[in-house]
Amino acid sequence: TTVVSSVNSVSQPRDLDFKPNSNELWIANYGNSNGGSMVIVYNAGTSSQTSQYKKDTHSSHFMIYPSAIAFSDSGQWAGVSEIQNTSSPTSTFMGPALWSSDTSIFARVFQNNWVNGYPLGSHYDMLHQSPFAMGIAHDSAKAYWVADGYNGNICKYDFVQDHGPGYDDHSAGKIYRYTDVSFTRTATIPGHMILDKATGWLYFIDSGTKMLRRMNTNTGSISGTLTVPSTANEPLAGYWAVTGATQETIDTFSTQICGVDAYNGRLIVGDFDNGNIYLYDISGGSPVFMDTIATGQAGMQGVKIGPDGKIWFVNRTQNTVVRIDALASIDDASIVSIVSPLTENYVTNFYSTAFNQCTGSIVPSVMLANNGSNTLTSAVINYRIDNGPVNSYNWTGSLAAGNSIT
């Protein structure tokens, strides 16, 4: 299903991500020398869907030729750019930029045409040691993993404390460069990445070698202090080399893979050349290939498992965002909402698993829907709290096709 297209100002999209605990979808457009832009889709994929095009006046530096974006758990997001710099042929002053997802701030405050002495648009922070960055993944707080296509490494950037919209104090920033974990860039093809926060494995596309790789972020140690080059001079709180991290090659392809995402023990990998999506089981010690979904959508770049559990992706060549909808099954059920405890940021057609309830016990209640054509007589509902052990609840009853029950 095509969710949005050029009609909604989607133009050469390269990546997408959902704002946490919502079905608000953000799409990064490639843009031009004046910078990239965002299309924000509210109530994405529903009958009440609307979209908004936004471009910051200072995106010609802070979001030029964006290759990837990633939301943090708090709702801030960061993006990286596929360019060496925006100032001179020898400069390497480029790297990840931090932004707010508050649309009363993003591309709204401090908008001006680079007026001397005025704040620099709505960006929240930026660090500048990774030109031609091709992938980004959130770690924790204000820290992000970056695929550095210029220096050929995986890096961890920690903004620590942002300077607020429009300013340029980078002195709180810390950078950890994994000097023995290589990354190879292929021009115009992002090498997207995702961190499995439950295990610490960072999965990334090494686009230059067409490899799916992973690195254990719980391993490795600082082996030295690095010096900021004169071509990218900026004050930092720390800049270190890290070595010895465990790294593995999961798979090698003959075609150009690009997008990657992980959810609930599953990994999906998108193929730019043929539009295939490759599925892996990552719940065990070693990833296991499961199956291939042939979409026929050559031009696929960023992929995402949405809050509805479906696969979403951008098609750069067709200027679209597409959602994969399964065909109706004879036996099929889903949890369509959490009734109790009350979850945060609840909106129609989406349920958030985030709740904040300080009590010794809770009585959970969910809405179960029968999506199949047969009457549903039983279902096993698995659940857990705060990454604790998985528990099972066995429901029995009689639920007609198309109906739901609490």
Side-chain angles (χ1 to χ4, degrees), residues 51-264:
S51 64
Q52 183 181 26
Y53 172 88
K54 295 182 77 71
K55 183 179 185 299
D56 190 84
T57 54
H58 290 66
S59 62
S60 59
H61 175 66
F62 300 106
M63 198 170 66
I64 186 168
Y65 305 130
S67 53
I69 61 172
F71 269 97
S72 72
D73 298 333
S74 69
Q76 283 188 324
W77 62 274
V80 290
S81 296
E82 186 181 8
I83 193 171
Q84 180 173 319
N85 68 89
T86 58
S87 58
S88 74
T90 58
S91 173
T92 58
F93 192 68
M94 186 55 59
L98 187 68
W99 302 83
S100 171
S101 62
D102 184 340
T103 53
S104 67
I105 297 174
F106 174 66
R108 285 286 299 274
V109 301
F110 302 137
Q111 300 298 284
N112 63 85
N113 189 25
W114 293 90
V115 177
N116 188 38
Y118 278 52
L120 305 175
S122 64
H123 88 287
Y124 263 56
D125 211 335
M126 190 173 188
L127 298 172
H128 299 82
Q129 303 304 315
S130 290
F132 290 114
M134 304 301 286
I136 189 166
H138 180 247
D139 181 90
S140 61
K142 297 181 188 293
Y144 294 81
W145 295 93
V146 169
D148 184 333
Y150 181 84
N151 296 292
N153 304 118
I154 298 299
C155 301
K156 182 181 179 181
Y157 279 78
D158 191 348
F159 294 99
V160 182
Q161 182 177 356
D162 63 67
H163 53 53
Y167 294 94
D168 57 1
D169 181 359
H170 308 149
S171 60
K174 298 179 181 180
I175 304 174
Y176 305 81
R177 183 174 295 278
Y178 287 65
T179 55
D180 57 357
V181 181
S182 63
F183 171 80
T184 311
R185 167 180 170 258
T186 293
T188 76
I189 305 295
H192 287 147
M193 55 201 325
I194 188 70
L195 176 67
D196 183 349
K197 296 180 180 180
T199 63
W201 283 106
L202 177 70
Y203 295 85
F204 64 96
I205 305 298
D206 192 14
S207 51
T209 62
K210 300 178 182 177
M211 289 181 177
L212 170 62
R213 299 174 59 198
R214 70 175 185 172
M215 181 189 83
N216 190 333
T217 61
N218 297 319
T219 62
S221 58
I222 293 175
S223 56
T225 301
L226 298 176
T227 301
V228 173
S230 60
T231 55
N233 190 33
E234 65 180 338
L236 295 171
Y239 189 18
W240 300 278
V242 179
T243 56
T246 301
Q247 51 185 305
E248 300 175 356
T249 297
I250 298 171
D251 224 336
T252 302
F253 295 79
S254 59
T255 49
Q256 189 65 67
I257 53 173
C258 179
V260 64
D261 196 22
Y263 174 73
N264 200 27

Side-chain angles (χ1 to χ4, degrees), residues 293-314:
I293 301 173
T295 71
Q297 292 261 345
M300 177 188 298
Q301 293 208 330
V303 298
K304 193 69 183 175
I305 301 172
D308 54 6
K310 297 179 180 179
I311 298 174
W312 301 59
F313 61 86
V314 298

Side-chain angles (χ1 to χ4, degrees), residues 329-350:
S329 302
I330 295 175
D331 296 309
D332 187 24
S334 63
I335 302 297
V336 295
S337 69
I338 296 176
V339 178
S340 176
L342 184 65
T343 56
E344 298 174 352
N345 298 329
Y346 182 87
V347 293
T348 304
N349 294 317
F350 170 78

